[in-house]
Structure formats: C-alpha cells, structure tokens
Amino acid sequence: MKRIPILPSIVVLVAVGIMIGLGIWQLQRAIWKEGLLARYATAKALPTMAFPSVPDSRSEELLFRRAGAFCLSVTKWNARAGENRAGEPGWRHLADCRRGGAEGPGMLVDMGWSTTADAPAWKGGQVNGVIAPDSRRRIMLVSDIAAPGLQPSAPPTPAQIPNNHRAYAWQWFLFAATALTIYAIALRRRIRQRSS
C-alpha cells in the first residue's frame, strides 16, 4: 500500500470540515431568517405603535409594524434612489426630523418620491406609516401620505429582505465535495506516479 501524505491530508480534511461547518451554520441561519420573515409578515396586523425614540439593537423586531410620530421640524433632507408605488425609479426624500429634547436624537422619515432630488418644502408634522430597515439608522418611518409635491414611496415589505442562506449552505457543501474530489484525484495521480 502506498503511503498517503499526512500533512496535506490533514490540511484538506480540516478545510473540508470548516466548509461543512459553514454550510451547517448557514442552514441554521436559514431557519432563523424564515422565522424572522414569518414574524415580519404578521407585523402589519399588530396595533399601531409610537415610533421608538432611540433606535437600538431591538429595533429589528419592530420592522414592518405601523407606527406614528410627530416631526417638530426637519433638520436636513437627503435624497436616495428609490421607487414610487407604481415601481418607477426616482428619488426617495428622507427627512431628518427633530422630535424634542426629551424624545431622543430624532428620527428619519421617508416623506415620498419624485423624479428629482430637489428637497420638498415640507417643514414637519404628524407622520404615520410603516417602520422600514435603514442601513444607517437601523430603522426609518415610511410615511403613508407624501409631502406636498411628492408621491408616496413604495411601501416596505418583508419580501425585500433576502433569504439566501440555504443557497450559501449548498455552496459550502459543494466547495467541500469539490475539495475532496480534487484531493482524491491528486492522491491517485501521486500513487500511480510512484508505482510506475
């Protein structure tokens, strides 16, 4: 029997073990994400709540719930790429709102959509809408009613949150199988060369 190289075999087996572990971890993440998306799907049936004063790590649990808050004044506008309810591309107009000293740092509100990035004239007021994810502030409020001169932005939906963990899991399992196959072919060649 030809001798199998120990160190390369250990390296390959450790790498394959890590890849399988990552695949199993992605399957666990898929189950977690499916539960989260199911909870988000039922969020719109929950009672309307006050928009949180200070978004924190628990804010993710509030996504897609209906909420309301009062914007005392707009401190800054910014425009981001987005769509209206008809799916047309354009600009979403986000207002940084002051809520008062006792109510925390403020809130971010999507006040509507237009074809230009020019800031609307809206100065503040009561806002009712849906809590949506935001990469910078964790959450924002997407207003049901657009500011004057704007159209309502496309409402947030759990369908916008990707759940590709199962695909990642199969990718890791495929990498592990490929690594084992390549190593088995290399071993066979090595054994043939030594025997000839």
Side-chain angles (χ1 to χ4, degrees), residues 32-128:
W32 166 80
K33 182 66 81 70
E34 288 160 3
L36 190 66
L37 292 174
R39 191 168 75 226
Y40 288 163
T42 61
K44 63 181 172 186
L46 296 172
T48 300
M49 59 174 284
F51 190 82
S53 299
V54 181
D56 58 22
S57 59
R58 294 168 301 196
S59 299
E60 189 175 81
E61 298 171 11
L62 307 176
L63 292 178
F64 307 105
R65 278 195 69 173
R66 295 206 46 77
F70 193 84
C71 174
L72 287 175
S73 64
V74 177
T75 59
K76 182 175 123 182
W77 284 100
N78 68 66
R80 292 188 201 164
E83 296 179 343
N84 63 7
R85 290 184 178 169
E88 298 171 311
W91 297 97
R92 296 165 59 204
H93 296 276
L94 307 181
D96 267 315
C97 284
R98 189 172 64 77
R99 297 179 69 188
E103 291 190 33
M107 67 178 178
L108 186 64
V109 182
D110 180 337
M111 284 307 301
W113 173 96
S114 73
T115 55
T116 68
D118 300 333
W122 187 74
K123 302 292 183 203
Q126 181 63 34
V127 181
N128 296 302

Side-chain angles (χ1 to χ4, degrees), residues 152-167:
S153 294
T157 169
Q160 296 165 330
I161 296 178
N163 184 11
N164 34 15
H165 295 290
R166 289 188 190 279

